[in-house]
Short mmCIF file of all heavy atoms in Angstrom, two decimals:
data_model
loop_
_atom_site.label_atom_id
_atom_site.label_comp_id
_atom_site.label_asym_id
_atom_site.label_seq_id
_atom_site.Cartn_x
_atom_site.Cartn_y
_atom_site.Cartn_z
N GLY A 197 176.33 -52.70 -20.73
CA GLY A 197 177.41 -52.89 -19.79
C GLY A 197 176.98 -53.72 -18.57
O GLY A 197 177.70 -54.62 -18.16
N GLU A 198 175.78 -53.46 -18.09
CA GLU A 198 175.30 -54.16 -16.88
C GLU A 198 174.96 -55.62 -17.27
O GLU A 198 175.28 -56.55 -16.49
CB GLU A 198 174.08 -53.45 -16.31
CG GLU A 198 173.72 -53.91 -14.91
CD GLU A 198 172.80 -52.95 -14.23
OE1 GLU A 198 173.05 -51.72 -14.33
OE2 GLU A 198 171.86 -53.41 -13.51
N ALA A 199 174.32 -55.83 -18.39
CA ALA A 199 173.97 -57.20 -18.79
C ALA A 199 175.16 -58.04 -19.09
O ALA A 199 175.21 -59.24 -18.71
CB ALA A 199 173.02 -57.12 -20.05
N ALA A 200 176.19 -57.42 -19.73
CA ALA A 200 177.41 -58.18 -20.03
C ALA A 200 178.12 -58.56 -18.74
O ALA A 200 178.70 -59.63 -18.61
CB ALA A 200 178.31 -57.36 -20.94
N THR A 201 178.05 -57.64 -17.71
CA THR A 201 178.69 -57.93 -16.44
C THR A 201 177.94 -59.06 -15.76
O THR A 201 178.58 -59.92 -15.05
CB THR A 201 178.70 -56.63 -15.60
OG1 THR A 201 179.37 -55.63 -16.30
CG2 THR A 201 179.43 -56.89 -14.28
N LEU A 202 176.61 -59.07 -15.84
CA LEU A 202 175.84 -60.19 -15.28
C LEU A 202 176.27 -61.51 -15.89
O LEU A 202 176.52 -62.52 -15.20
CB LEU A 202 174.38 -59.94 -15.53
CG LEU A 202 173.40 -61.13 -15.22
CD1 LEU A 202 173.48 -61.51 -13.75
CD2 LEU A 202 171.96 -60.78 -15.65
N ALA A 203 176.34 -61.56 -17.22
CA ALA A 203 176.77 -62.77 -17.88
C ALA A 203 178.18 -63.18 -17.47
O ALA A 203 178.45 -64.38 -17.24
CB ALA A 203 176.69 -62.57 -19.41
N ALA A 204 179.07 -62.19 -17.37
CA ALA A 204 180.48 -62.47 -16.99
C ALA A 204 180.51 -63.05 -15.58
O ALA A 204 181.41 -63.90 -15.23
CB ALA A 204 181.32 -61.20 -17.08
N GLY A 205 179.64 -62.59 -14.69
CA GLY A 205 179.58 -63.11 -13.33
C GLY A 205 179.31 -64.58 -13.24
O GLY A 205 179.58 -65.22 -12.21
N HIS A 206 178.81 -65.13 -14.34
CA HIS A 206 178.47 -66.59 -14.38
C HIS A 206 179.37 -67.29 -15.40
O HIS A 206 179.05 -68.34 -15.91
CB HIS A 206 177.01 -66.80 -14.72
CG HIS A 206 176.11 -66.40 -13.59
ND1 HIS A 206 175.75 -67.23 -12.56
CD2 HIS A 206 175.48 -65.19 -13.35
CE1 HIS A 206 174.95 -66.60 -11.68
NE2 HIS A 206 174.79 -65.35 -12.17
N GLY A 207 180.50 -66.63 -15.69
CA GLY A 207 181.51 -67.29 -16.50
C GLY A 207 181.33 -67.17 -17.99
O GLY A 207 182.02 -67.86 -18.75
N VAL A 208 180.43 -66.31 -18.47
CA VAL A 208 180.22 -66.15 -19.89
C VAL A 208 181.04 -64.92 -20.38
O VAL A 208 181.01 -63.85 -19.80
CB VAL A 208 178.72 -65.87 -20.20
CG1 VAL A 208 178.52 -65.61 -21.74
CG2 VAL A 208 177.87 -67.05 -19.78
N ALA A 209 181.80 -65.12 -21.49
CA ALA A 209 182.55 -64.05 -22.03
C ALA A 209 181.65 -62.88 -22.47
O ALA A 209 180.72 -63.13 -23.27
CB ALA A 209 183.42 -64.53 -23.18
N PRO A 210 181.92 -61.66 -22.03
CA PRO A 210 181.09 -60.55 -22.44
C PRO A 210 180.98 -60.41 -23.98
O PRO A 210 179.88 -60.08 -24.48
CB PRO A 210 181.77 -59.30 -21.86
CG PRO A 210 182.51 -59.86 -20.65
CD PRO A 210 182.95 -61.23 -21.09
N SER A 211 182.07 -60.67 -24.66
CA SER A 211 182.02 -60.50 -26.16
C SER A 211 181.06 -61.50 -26.74
O SER A 211 180.36 -61.18 -27.73
CB SER A 211 183.42 -60.70 -26.73
OG SER A 211 183.96 -61.95 -26.38
N ALA A 212 181.01 -62.73 -26.23
CA ALA A 212 180.10 -63.73 -26.77
C ALA A 212 178.67 -63.34 -26.51
O ALA A 212 177.79 -63.44 -27.40
CB ALA A 212 180.38 -65.09 -26.11
N PHE A 213 178.39 -62.82 -25.30
CA PHE A 213 177.03 -62.44 -24.97
C PHE A 213 176.62 -61.21 -25.81
O PHE A 213 175.54 -61.23 -26.41
CB PHE A 213 176.97 -61.99 -23.48
CG PHE A 213 175.72 -61.27 -23.13
CD1 PHE A 213 174.52 -61.96 -22.95
CD2 PHE A 213 175.69 -59.87 -23.00
CE1 PHE A 213 173.36 -61.30 -22.66
CE2 PHE A 213 174.55 -59.21 -22.69
CZ PHE A 213 173.35 -59.89 -22.51
N LEU A 214 177.45 -60.23 -26.00
CA LEU A 214 177.08 -59.04 -26.75
C LEU A 214 176.92 -59.34 -28.25
O LEU A 214 176.07 -58.78 -28.89
CB LEU A 214 178.12 -57.93 -26.53
CG LEU A 214 178.10 -57.31 -25.11
CD1 LEU A 214 179.34 -56.44 -24.88
CD2 LEU A 214 176.84 -56.49 -24.95
N GLU A 215 177.76 -60.25 -28.76
CA GLU A 215 177.59 -60.64 -30.15
C GLU A 215 176.23 -61.26 -30.39
O GLU A 215 175.58 -61.00 -31.38
CB GLU A 215 178.68 -61.61 -30.57
CG GLU A 215 178.57 -62.04 -32.04
CD GLU A 215 179.62 -63.06 -32.42
OE1 GLU A 215 180.36 -63.56 -31.57
OE2 GLU A 215 179.71 -63.36 -33.64
N MET A 216 175.81 -62.13 -29.45
CA MET A 216 174.53 -62.76 -29.57
C MET A 216 173.36 -61.71 -29.55
O MET A 216 172.52 -61.73 -30.46
CB MET A 216 174.32 -63.79 -28.48
CG MET A 216 173.02 -64.55 -28.51
SD MET A 216 171.63 -63.72 -27.67
CE MET A 216 172.14 -63.65 -25.98
N VAL A 217 173.35 -60.85 -28.51
CA VAL A 217 172.14 -59.97 -28.40
C VAL A 217 172.10 -58.97 -29.50
O VAL A 217 171.04 -58.56 -29.90
CB VAL A 217 172.10 -59.32 -27.01
CG1 VAL A 217 171.88 -60.34 -25.88
CG2 VAL A 217 173.34 -58.47 -26.73
N THR A 218 173.30 -58.46 -29.97
CA THR A 218 173.27 -57.47 -31.02
C THR A 218 173.02 -58.07 -32.41
O THR A 218 172.86 -57.34 -33.38
CB THR A 218 174.55 -56.63 -31.02
OG1 THR A 218 175.70 -57.49 -31.25
CG2 THR A 218 174.74 -55.89 -29.70
N SER A 219 173.01 -59.40 -32.48
CA SER A 219 172.67 -60.08 -33.74
C SER A 219 171.27 -60.62 -33.78
O SER A 219 170.82 -61.12 -34.83
CB SER A 219 173.68 -61.25 -34.00
OG SER A 219 174.99 -60.76 -34.05
#
Side-chain angles (χ1 to χ4, degrees):
E198 194 162 320
T201 304
L202 168 62
H206 291 274
V208 177
S211 58
F213 168 76
L214 290 167
E215 181 183 8
M216 180 277 294
V217 294
T218 60
S219 299

